[in-house]
Amino acid sequence: MDRLLTGLQPSGSLTIGNYCGGISQVANYQKKYETFLFVPDMHAITVPQDPDALHKNIINAVAMYIACGVDPNLPDMHIYIQSENLYHANLSWILECHTPHGDLTRMHQFKMKSAKNEAFTEGLVTYPDLMAADILLYDAKYVPTGIDQKQHVELARNLAERFNNRYGEMFVIPEPLIPTIGAKIRDLQNPEAKMSKSTDNPKSAIFLADDEKVIRKKIMSAVTDSDGKVAYDEENKPGVSNLLTLYSVFGEVTIDEAVDKFKDGGYGDLKKGVAEVVIPKIVAFQDKYNEVIKSGIVDDVLDAGRDYSNKIAAEKYEMVRKAVGFGRI
Ligand code: TYM
């Protein structure tokens, strides 16, 4: 069975963007592939985090994965916390020593995040190597993500190819799995940008933990344009296209069907329609989330995932260690 792997940073509450690019894809593919779904808490500290909030976000994230349809009882589903497996950092170091500095500083995400914070840390620079280690340790063939992570998965591919050429077959070459609809859910107030969980403007993002009334308000106040025509055109009408995308994903229709439904109305009708399909799904996730938290299963799921992921990662790390000449033969 091929392996699929992905992770969602616990740097805040998850958004509907994270659902579209990450969790919903895992839920769709989980019966087809052996699945490694982990909480990248080591990635989260590339920007400052409050330690108490981070602990809580980790558990909440896992409960939310399950609430959104990830089935922890499938025999080939493994859910774990990155920092509970020390091989990620070990392999990351080896990969860092095989990555030209320029390959890291040209990453779009690095450029964006470092521009926002002049005092950025070295962790922000080497972050894609840690991400490559996350993927390559498990021989993952498929990596479901939104469009923003594509460049990082490509770096992991390049590293794997280079490593295999130099040391012999070592890593499976991973492929990004980008959804055809919903790969970039946009910021509701600034539709040029992607929706992000670390936004400063709470009206910009819909969080999976948001109250029903808050979600409705955010959708109704989403920025559109002044042309008044409901049409799908990502470049010239990013706000309206984003609303159509949300309607398509949450209403389970094609973009054309969504356009057809709203083309004779105004933006107000489109927004109401979006709220009607988004809210019931999020409320259902929240009900399930509360059940999961109450049931207390998260710790058991994470214990099993930690043990299994350590076993698999140890085997791969042993191969890599020998190949690069570490320690004793
Ligand atoms: P993160 O935590 O920023 O996002 C988690 C997942 O959500 C997707 N995503 C989006 N998709 C559509 N529209 C959006 N607005 C949107 N915002 C986020 C992301 O593409 C991602 O799939 N570096 C990763 C975490 C990570 C990882 C990995 C992922 C660490 N190691 C190994 C895959 C494999 C990140 O910061 O994602």
Side-chain angles (χ1 to χ4, degrees), residues 275-319:
E276 265 166 37
V277 292
V278 168
I279 290 172
K281 284 228 163 129
I282 297 191
V283 168
F285 295 157
Q286 292 173 354
D287 291 345
K288 179 85 202 281
Y289 171 88
N290 290 330
E291 269 175 40
V292 175
I293 292 282
K294 254 197 224 143
S295 73
I297 62 163
V298 172
D299 268 331
D300 294 341
V301 167
L302 287 173
D303 285 350
R306 175 199 58 212
D307 294 348
Y308 186 78
S309 73
N310 268 278
K311 181 172 147 293
I312 302 293
E315 287 163 14
K316 181 59 65 179
Y317 183 74
E318 184 59 13
M319 278 173 77

Side-chain angles (χ1 to χ4, degrees), residues 6-10 14 23 26-27 30 37-40 57-72 79-80 208 289 292 302:
T6 200
L8 297 99
Q9 285 198 50
L14 297 170
I23 314 175
V26 175
Q30 62 188 344
L37 174 59
F38 71 101
V39 188
N57 285 339
I58 291 168
I59 300 300
N60 294 350
V62 175
M64 196 49 99
Y65 302 163
I66 298 171
C68 291
V70 171
D71 183 352
I79 305 176
Y80 53 100
L208 297 179
Y289 171 88
V292 175
L302 287 173

Side-chain angles (χ1 to χ4, degrees), residues 85-97:
N85 184 326
L86 304 183
Y87 295 106
H88 290 243
N90 279 357
L91 181 58
S92 179
W93 174 251
I94 295 173
L95 296 178
E96 281 169 44
C97 296

Side-chain angles (χ1 to χ4, degrees), residues 5-11 15 17-22 38 40 43 82 109 113 127 130-131 134-135 143-149 152-153 182-186 194-197:
L5 174 145
T6 200
L8 297 99
Q9 285 198 50
S11 45
T15 69
N18 299 136
Y19 173 74
C20 295
F38 71 101
H43 277 93
Q82 184 184 33
Q109 284 229 329
K113 290 189 180 174
Y127 162 119
L130 180 58
M131 181 158 159
D134 300 336
I135 298 167
V143 184
T145 66
I147 199 82
D148 59 327
Q149 297 299 320
H152 292 159
V153 181
K184 180 181 174 182
I185 300 298
R186 295 167 182 276
K194 72 156 190 173
M195 184 182 286
S196 163
K197 51 175 121 60

Side-chain angles (χ1 to χ4, degrees), residues 63-323:
M64 196 49 99
Y65 302 163
I66 298 171
C68 291
V70 171
D71 183 352
N73 296 315
L74 288 174
D76 295 311
M77 172 62 68
H78 316 291
I79 305 176
Y80 53 100
I81 300 174
Q82 184 184 33
S83 66
E84 292 187 356
N85 184 326
L86 304 183
Y87 295 106
H88 290 243
N90 279 357
L91 181 58
S92 179
W93 174 251
I94 295 173
L95 296 178
E96 281 169 44
C97 296
H98 289 76
T99 314
H101 186 66
D103 282 7
L104 298 172
T105 48
R106 74 177 169 79
M107 294 283 121
H108 304 314
Q109 284 229 329
F110 169 74
K111 283 191 189 157
M112 242 167 45
K113 290 189 180 174
S114 58
K116 272 194 213 156
N117 178 7
E118 275 179 20
F120 65 84
T121 66
E122 200 55 28
L124 195 69
V125 185
T126 57
Y127 162 119
D129 278 320
L130 180 58
M131 181 158 159
D134 300 336
I135 298 167
L136 301 182
L137 263 179
Y138 300 93
D139 283 335
K141 183 153 183 204
Y142 299 111
V143 184
T145 66
I147 199 82
D148 59 327
Q149 297 299 320
K150 187 166 176 249
Q151 199 186 25
H152 292 159
V153 181
E154 278 161 3
L155 183 92
R157 276 178 75 84
N158 294 342
L159 275 169
E161 279 164 1
R162 247 185 274 151
F163 223 86
N164 288 354
N165 285 338
R166 177 156 172 197
Y167 297 105
E169 282 307 303
M170 187 87 33
F171 296 127
V172 166
I173 311 297
E175 278 173 39
L177 280 184
I178 313 284
T180 38
I181 306 171
K184 180 181 174 182
I185 300 298
R186 295 167 182 276
D187 182 306
L188 296 177
Q189 292 302 311
N190 171 21
E192 303 295 326
K194 72 156 190 173
M195 184 182 286
S196 163
K197 51 175 121 60
S198 50
T199 176
D200 295 331
N201 181 352
K203 282 165 71 186
S204 288
I206 297 176
F207 295 97
L208 297 179
D210 274 347
D211 174 83
E212 187 174 333
K213 278 195 200 122
V214 173
I215 299 174
R216 193 180 304 278
K217 252 195 175 162
K218 287 181 179 177
I219 294 174
M220 294 314 289
S221 60
V223 167
T224 49
D225 53 49
S226 55
D227 132 281
K229 251 190 238 135
V230 174
Y232 190 82
D233 176 348
E234 289 246 26
E235 205 170 306
N236 299 308
K237 296 172 72 64
V240 173
S241 302
N242 194 39
L243 290 167
L244 287 165
T245 300
L246 290 176
Y247 189 84
S248 162
V249 173
F250 284 85
E252 297 177 35
V253 298
T254 63
I255 292 282
D256 285 348
E257 286 166 338
V259 173
D260 227 40
K261 187 167 167 71
F262 296 105
K263 68 178 187 310
D264 298 326
Y267 295 161
D269 290 342
L270 171 61
K271 288 176 176 177
K272 274 189 206 139
V274 172
E276 265 166 37
V277 292
V278 168
I279 290 172
K281 284 228 163 129
I282 297 191
V283 168
F285 295 157
Q286 292 173 354
D287 291 345
K288 179 85 202 281
Y289 171 88
N290 290 330
E291 269 175 40
V292 175
I293 292 282
K294 254 197 224 143
S295 73
I297 62 163
V298 172
D299 268 331
D300 294 341
V301 167
L302 287 173
D303 285 350
R306 175 199 58 212
D307 294 348
Y308 186 78
S309 73
N310 268 278
K311 181 172 147 293
I312 302 293
E315 287 163 14
K316 181 59 65 179
Y317 183 74
E318 184 59 13
M319 278 173 77
V320 177
R321 172 190 81 73
K322 283 192 182 139

